[in-house]
Amino acid sequence: MKTSYAHPGPVMLDVAAYEVTSEEREILQHPLVGGVILFARNYAEPEQLRALTTAIRAARPELLISVDHEGGRVQRFRDGFTRLPAMRRLGEGWSADPEAAKQQARHAGFVLAAELRAHGVDLSYAPVLDLDYGVSSVIGDRAFHRDPLVATELARAVVAGLADVGMRAVGKHFPGHGAVEADSHVAIPVDLRSFDEVWKDDVQPFRLLAGELGGVMPAHVIFKNIEPRPAGFSAFWLQEILRGKLGFEGVIFSDDLTMEGASVAGGIVARAEAAHSAGCDMVLVCNRPDFAVELLDGWQPAVSADSSKRIAALRPRPGTAPADPATLAGWAPYRTARESVLALA
């Protein structure tokens, strides 16, 4: 293995369990590694999570530590953390009182970020900006609403709540995963709509929030009548539309390259190269340590300084929230926000 260098690389990978093994510590030193994504299998209780993130940071201080922690059924850390609502609950509240729904959304983002930061986690892949068409088996109640303007306003409030405690937001799954039934974890979803249809609705939350997001994650969806490649492997979607028309300047993450929706690009090195060439700054390789090693041994990407700077800029702003759970529990802004979130349960 090569030794670490002082800025994060373009590969986000995972670790197997509650502690970092000596082999994993060596892998984290590889110059292509830029971060670690955690899962439910990495969590037993709060003190163990803090020990794990401390060990990752000791192995490589510049790494981003991330997690899929949205609320509802996608919340990796549960016991000892506030149970966050599915985002559809906020959309349901919009009909009765839009302002109250936005305030609760901001509180949800605040609690999410404050609790993660107190345990050493830098980033959550949230909020979901997909629209709730009522057909997607994988999106479902993770989406705020069918109306793109309502979804945007509630997502903007979550983004503001994250920012209140120094955390950047990652919107997903560009340009939209909500209108296809298939789950890209196990299938290759195909969306047959025209560009005008996708632009009119699904792209709008990404367009309206482009300047407020630190990151965007594209979908493993093929928009067959627009572009033959999945969005995450498409320079059309990532460079012409997301960077060009939307003016997005943050980090573009691939979705997990071990998912079935990514298999159209070939083996793991080919998948990473296709995503990176299309415009992804960072590629995710999850739940397959053999693929992670194969990628680190076989991939030789040209990493731009601008891309490395974008990744480094995702680290949270220091000093905006208590850095430990005990102090956080007594912090008045957190207590107020948590009470609001618990009222949604």
Side-chain angles (χ1 to χ4, degrees):
M1 286 290 177
K2 300 175 184 177
T3 57
S4 169
Y5 54 14
H7 52 84
V11 177
M12 176 78 70
L13 43 71
D14 54 7
V15 294
Y18 298 152
E19 299 177 349
V20 178
T21 67
S22 58
E23 181 181 1
E24 289 169 340
R25 190 174 296 108
E26 182 181 357
I27 289 171
L28 296 181
Q29 297 294 322
H30 194 288
L32 289 183
V33 177
V36 175
I37 179 171
L38 302 177
F39 291 90
R41 69 169 185 269
N42 301 120
Y43 181 70
E45 48 84 25
E47 288 189 9
Q48 170 270 323
L49 178 60
R50 278 177 57 83
L52 175 60
T53 58
T54 298
I56 293 169
R57 197 81 68 208
R60 185 89 177 273
E62 68 272 19
L63 295 183
L64 276 173
I65 302 177
S66 66
V67 66
D68 260 332
H69 198 83
E70 306 164 7
R73 56 198 164 94
V74 182
Q75 180 170 339
R76 305 306 186 199
F77 313 141
R78 293 181 180 269
D79 292 343
F81 278 71
T82 301
R83 188 63 60 93
L84 300 167
M87 295 300 100
R88 183 188 283 168
R89 287 279 288 118
L90 297 165
E92 292 167 350
W94 178 275
S95 298
D97 190 335
E99 290 304 316
K102 286 195 291 184
Q103 185 61 46
Q104 287 180 312
R106 186 163 188 159
H107 284 152
F110 187 100
V111 170
L112 185 161
E115 292 183 346
L116 290 181
R117 291 205 58 197
H119 292 82
V121 180
D122 300 316
L123 190 73
S124 176
Y125 300 101
V128 167
L129 301 182
D130 305 300
L131 301 181
D132 188 2
Y133 286 90
V135 299
S136 175
S137 60
V138 69
I139 301 302
D141 65 0
R142 297 165 66 192
F144 291 99
H145 207 273
R146 169 62 182 85
D147 186 323
L149 297 181
V150 174
T152 297
E153 288 303 304
L154 291 171
R156 174 173 282 124
V158 170
V159 171
L162 298 172
D164 286 340
V165 287
M167 184 176 284
R168 304 303 305 278
V170 179
K172 60 188 184 184
H173 305 81
F174 179 79
H177 199 311
V180 288
E181 183 176 358
D183 179 351
S184 54
H185 291 84
V186 295
I188 303 173
V190 177
D191 191 319
L192 299 177
R193 292 177 298 163
S194 69
F195 178 80
D196 287 346
E197 290 176 292
V198 178
W199 176 267
K200 174 177 175 290
D201 286 335
D202 298 64
V203 172
Q204 292 315 299
F206 295 94
R207 181 181 69 82
L208 295 168
L209 294 170
E212 301 168 51
L213 299 172
V216 164
M217 179 177 284
H220 286 321
V221 174
I222 297 174
F223 294 83
K224 188 174 182 180
N225 292 321
I226 304 170
E227 154 71 46
R229 291 162 292 190
F233 299 134
S234 166
F236 168 76
W237 283 116
L238 301 187
Q239 297 187 42
E240 185 173 337
I241 303 303
L242 183 57
R243 293 280 190 216
K245 286 187 176 296
L246 274 59
F248 177 67
E249 297 181 348
V251 174
I252 301 177
F253 292 91
S254 79
D255 205 343
D256 178 11
L257 294 182
T258 71
M259 291 163 57
E260 182 61 26
S263 65
V264 295
I268 192 61
V269 174
R271 297 179 198 187
E273 183 57 34
H276 191 255
S277 296
C280 288
D281 296 289
M282 180 166 270
V283 300
L284 275 69
V285 180
C286 309
N287 305 308
R288 288 293 302 266
D290 54 333
F291 277 12
V293 171
E294 181 182 348
L295 181 63
L296 297 179
D297 286 345
W299 192 34
Q300 295 181 323
V303 180
S304 73
D306 287 344
S307 183
S308 294
K309 288 177 182 177
R310 284 194 289 266
I311 294 169
L314 284 177
R315 288 290 297 274
R317 287 185 293 111
T320 49
D324 67 276
T327 306
L328 178 65
W331 191 38
Y334 166 75
R335 292 169 64 89
T336 298
R338 187 172 186 271
E339 288 174 6
S340 172
V341 170
L342 291 174
L344 289 169

